[in-house]
Amino acid sequence: MTLPEAATTITRLNVRVQTLPEGIARARHWLAEARRVLVLTGAGCSAESGVPTFRGAGGLWRQFRPETLATPEAFARDPKLVWEWYDWRRQRIAQAQPNPGHYALVELEQRLGDGFALFTQNVDGLHERAGSQRVWRLHGDIWLLRCTGCGRQERNLAAPLPVLPPRCDRCGALFRPGVVWFGEPLPADVLDAAFAAARRAEVCLVLGTSSVVYPAARIPQSALESGARVVEINLEPTELSDRVHLSLRGRTGELLPQIVQGAG
Ligand code: OAD
């Protein structure tokens, strides 16, 4: 993937255009002042670890869009195809290591303690592997297998899985991935915690997400409405970019450590 030089890109602060270094300095200042910070992460946060995103360059698997694979209907129609996609993702994730963006969030949490809350759309577990503790999973866990018959859940780290689609060894029904699919509700306790954190947050960081999948995309909007300063980091402009206080163009693994370090 080719990128513009970070130092020559522009960022937006309300209506004023700033240089990227100025934007970084401003975000660092806001973080240094904040006691309650809400973070929302998406697939872009894990991209530098080698985990493919869902949308954008390199995001597609065999030309399938996520909306056509990550659904109960797709699984009912062709569970093997859906499992092949998840098995491919599991293999990529198994080889991945957390990147500097993940570690910057660990550092921020250590400084803020209970004032920190991380809500992730990622199912890869890389935040936890980096050491983040106050992590809420909006979309589930790719390492969980859930039986469609007896409901049993099993943590299974095999990658690749020996047989696709996998079956429950207790009841023989199909296992499905332990993730949330399009058309399914998100865990209510996690969503409640997210909107409660959004009401309290002084700063909200929106990192590596296209901000097109709801209800997760509503979380920063709620933080904005409650008066938080919202900072987005993304390689590209998103649906959210024009509405946030500061939208920084670049990689989370490069920009986030600069914003977090020296902010405390
Ligand atoms: P997407 O794949 O939609 O978006 C990833 C975003 O990250 C894009 O806006 C990229 O520009 C940006 N990006 C890529 N690399 C980056 C980097 N190194 N630094 C910063 N930004 C980078 O992923 P999500 O927004 O997470 O849901 O997708 C949301 C949900 O849609 C996923 O949780 C998944 C998917 O279908 C389900 O499976 C239910």
Side-chain angles (χ1 to χ4, degrees):
M1 194 181 298
T2 54
L3 281 173
E5 267 300 306
T8 61
T9 58
I10 56 165
T11 66
R12 197 173 283 127
L13 169 64
N14 294 334
V15 291
R16 286 171 30 220
V17 172
Q18 305 259 331
T19 63
L20 185 61
E22 282 176 280
I24 290 169
R26 180 62 61 106
R28 188 190 295 139
H29 177 69
W30 287 345
L31 263 193
E33 284 186 332
R35 285 160 298 140
R36 290 180 301 280
V37 175
L38 160 63
V39 183
L40 174 67
T41 64
C45 263
S46 295
E48 288 155 84
S49 297
V51 181
T53 58
F54 295 95
R55 297 172 185 80
L60 298 182
W61 174 77
R62 295 192 206 162
Q63 308 308 313
F64 287 102
R65 300 171 63 80
E67 293 83 352
T68 62
L69 285 170
T71 67
E73 294 76 21
F75 188 72
R77 204 166 42 238
D78 194 344
K80 188 160 187 284
L81 176 73
V82 172
W83 262 116
E84 282 171 356
W85 182 51
Y86 280 98
D87 198 45
W88 173 73
R89 293 191 66 81
R90 285 163 59 101
Q91 291 177 55
R92 298 291 292 260
I93 295 164
Q95 291 162 12
Q97 299 298 328
N99 67 58
H102 294 108
Y103 290 114
L105 292 176
V106 177
E107 186 182 332
L108 186 60
E109 178 176 7
Q110 283 167 353
R111 189 186 317 151
L112 292 165
D114 286 335
F116 175 93
L118 168 54
F119 293 86
T120 187
Q121 299 166 85
N122 299 343
V123 295
D124 55 32
L126 287 177
H127 287 302
E128 290 88 340
R129 275 172 55 195
S132 289
Q133 292 176 4
R134 294 165 178 86
V135 184
W136 298 81
R137 292 166 173 275
L138 291 156
H139 291 168
D141 180 351
I142 201 166
W143 299 111
L144 276 186
L145 273 52
R146 193 159 77 237
C147 179
T148 54
C150 65
R152 187 171 74 85
Q153 295 212 117
E154 171 183 305
R155 192 166 161 77
N156 183 321
L157 301 180
L161 285 161
V163 179
L164 294 180
R167 287 186 176 274
C168 177
D169 48 16
R170 297 234 182 107
C171 76
L174 285 177
F175 270 129
R176 58 163 283 176
V179 302
V180 178
W181 280 331
F182 288 96
E184 294 183 328
L186 274 62
D189 57 331
V190 181
L191 265 190
D192 288 349
F195 287 107
R199 283 192 293 275
R200 287 193 305 265
E202 293 158 301
V203 169
C204 172
L205 302 178
V206 189
L207 309 172
T209 174
S210 54
S211 292
V212 294
V213 174
Y214 284 79
R218 202 172 296 124
I219 297 167
Q221 293 174 18
S222 169
L224 264 179
E225 286 157 16
S226 302
R229 283 164 166 157
V230 180
V231 178
E232 173 185 63
I233 301 179
N234 200 300
L235 289 180
E236 300 164 0
T238 71
E239 304 277 316
L240 195 67
S241 301
D242 282 337
R243 282 176 281 154
V244 298
H245 295 90
L246 190 57
S247 183
L248 304 176
R249 288 292 145 268
R251 295 183 168 98
T252 50
E254 291 172 5
L255 301 192
L256 203 52
Q258 297 179 58
I259 289 169
V260 169
Q261 280 156 22

